[in-house]
Each structure stands twice: as structure tokens, then as C-alpha cells.
Amino acid sequence: MARRENSEINAGSMADIAFLLLIFFLVTTTMDVDSGISRKLPEKSQDQNQQDVIVKEKNVFDIVVNRNNQILVENDQYVTVNEIKKLAMDFIDNGGGLSTAKDDAPAAPCDYCKGARSPLSSDHPSKAVISLQSDRGTTYGMYISIQNEIEAAYTELRNRLGLEKYKRSYDDLLKDYKDNPSESLNEKIEFLKNSYPQIISEPEPIK
């Protein structure tokens, strides 16, 4: 009886198949990107005799988030994340007093603010401080969501002023500057940023 030979598997193209599968998975797989907040930290002061700045209570907008992700505003009102932007805009844009005097120039009221000009709220956008304090048990997602709403409040105010003054929104000016940087565009962007400076205080988390 003739001896039966073992059949062999042709593995010549296995390397090519493995390579194609590797390319397929690389192309179709999505990579997780860590989310974060862009913040420029203040530089350490070189002036040893510099005194602490005294901030009026009405110029500080308090936001506190507890470990259950509940948001307390001004120590007396629980709100949702979606309400933060409007409340922040009303506070920043109130314009109830005078600006911060610079270079020995006299302080002046905000002539571009559209707020209620309440004497009980912030004097000027240059003085308005938003204080965000979280609990150590606050989720990262909630913290980021609140930061995004605060950022959106500043952006919308700058957009509005940009449209009034330059017929271009702040966002559009940033895109224009990215595509074609120029001194004139930079001056417009800096004017809008200085008109509504982003002043955010983040106290130590609640234990």
C-alpha cells in the first residue's frame, strides 16, 4: 500500500496578510486623546515689596462644586452646568462701577458693557473675578464642563464686542491671524482680550 504523504500548508503569503491586517487596524482604530484646559499661569513676581491686591466681594463671582457634582453659585443658588455661561456673562458684563486705573490714567466706567450696571455686582470686566472651587470628590468631567462654560462666556462677550467694533467676531479674528498673521490683527485681538480679561481664581479643593 502506498504511503500517504502529509499535506503542507503554503505559508508564503502569511507575512503579506499579516502586514495588510496591521495596516487595516492602524487606519481604522481611533486613539483616545486626553482632554485638558489651556491656562497660562502667572509669572512669579520679582518685587519682594509687592502688596496683596484687595478685591471687593461684589467683584468676585463664587462657584462651588460639591462631591455630588452640585453647583452652588454665590452661596445661595443651586444651578445646572448650562446656566453657568449666562450667569458668568451677566456678572462680567455688569459694568456697575469704574475700571482699573493704569499708568496714572483716571478710572472710567465701561462704555461697551451691556449689563444691568447693578451696584451690587462687578464694577468692570477688568475687575470681575470668577472663583471656581471644587471638592476633592468632584468628577473631572464636571470640572471640565464648568470651565468650558466659563470660557464660552468670555468668548461670546469678545465676539460681540468684535462684531460691534471691527465687524468681525473674536473667533474670526483668531482664524484670520492664524492663516495670515499681521500686527493689525494682533492689535485687534489683544484689544478684545484686554476689554474682557479672563480672570479666574481656583482656590484649594474642599477636603
Side-chain angles (χ1 to χ4, degrees), residues 9-74:
I9 299 175
N10 184 9
S13 61
M14 290 295 289
D16 293 335
I17 295 173
F19 180 74
L20 291 173
L21 287 174
L22 177 62
I23 296 296
F24 172 78
F25 286 119
L26 286 175
V27 172
T28 58
T29 303
T30 58
M31 301 294 180
D32 291 334
V33 179
D34 293 335
S35 59
I37 304 171
S38 177
R39 286 284 183 270
K40 183 178 180 180
L41 299 177
E43 297 180 0
K44 183 177 180 180
S45 175
Q46 302 297 326
D47 187 359
Q48 301 297 328
N49 298 322
Q50 184 177 6
Q51 298 180 351
D52 293 335
V53 178
I54 299 176
V55 180
K56 295 180 183 178
E57 184 176 351
K58 70 173 185 174
N59 284 326
V60 179
F61 186 73
D62 287 310
I63 303 174
V64 179
V65 194
N66 64 21
R67 62 178 61 250
N68 297 320
N69 290 335
Q70 294 174 311
I71 307 170
L72 180 65
V73 170
E74 295 292 82

Side-chain angles (χ1 to χ4, degrees), residues 4 11 13 20 22-24 30 39 43 53 62 72 76 80 85 87 90 94 123 125 129 134 145 150 174 187:
R4 187 176 181 182
S13 61
L20 291 173
L22 177 62
I23 296 296
F24 172 78
T30 58
R39 286 284 183 270
E43 297 180 0
V53 178
D62 287 310
L72 180 65
D76 65 357
T80 63
K85 176 183 172 182
L87 292 171
D90 291 343
N94 180 64
D123 290 326
V129 179
S134 60
S145 296
I150 296 173
L174 287 176
E187 289 178 357

Side-chain angles (χ1 to χ4, degrees), residues 179-192:
D179 295 336
N180 187 22
S182 68
E183 186 63 28
S184 61
L185 283 174
N186 184 59
E187 289 178 357
K188 293 176 181 178
I189 292 171
E190 289 302 314
F191 173 82
L192 296 176

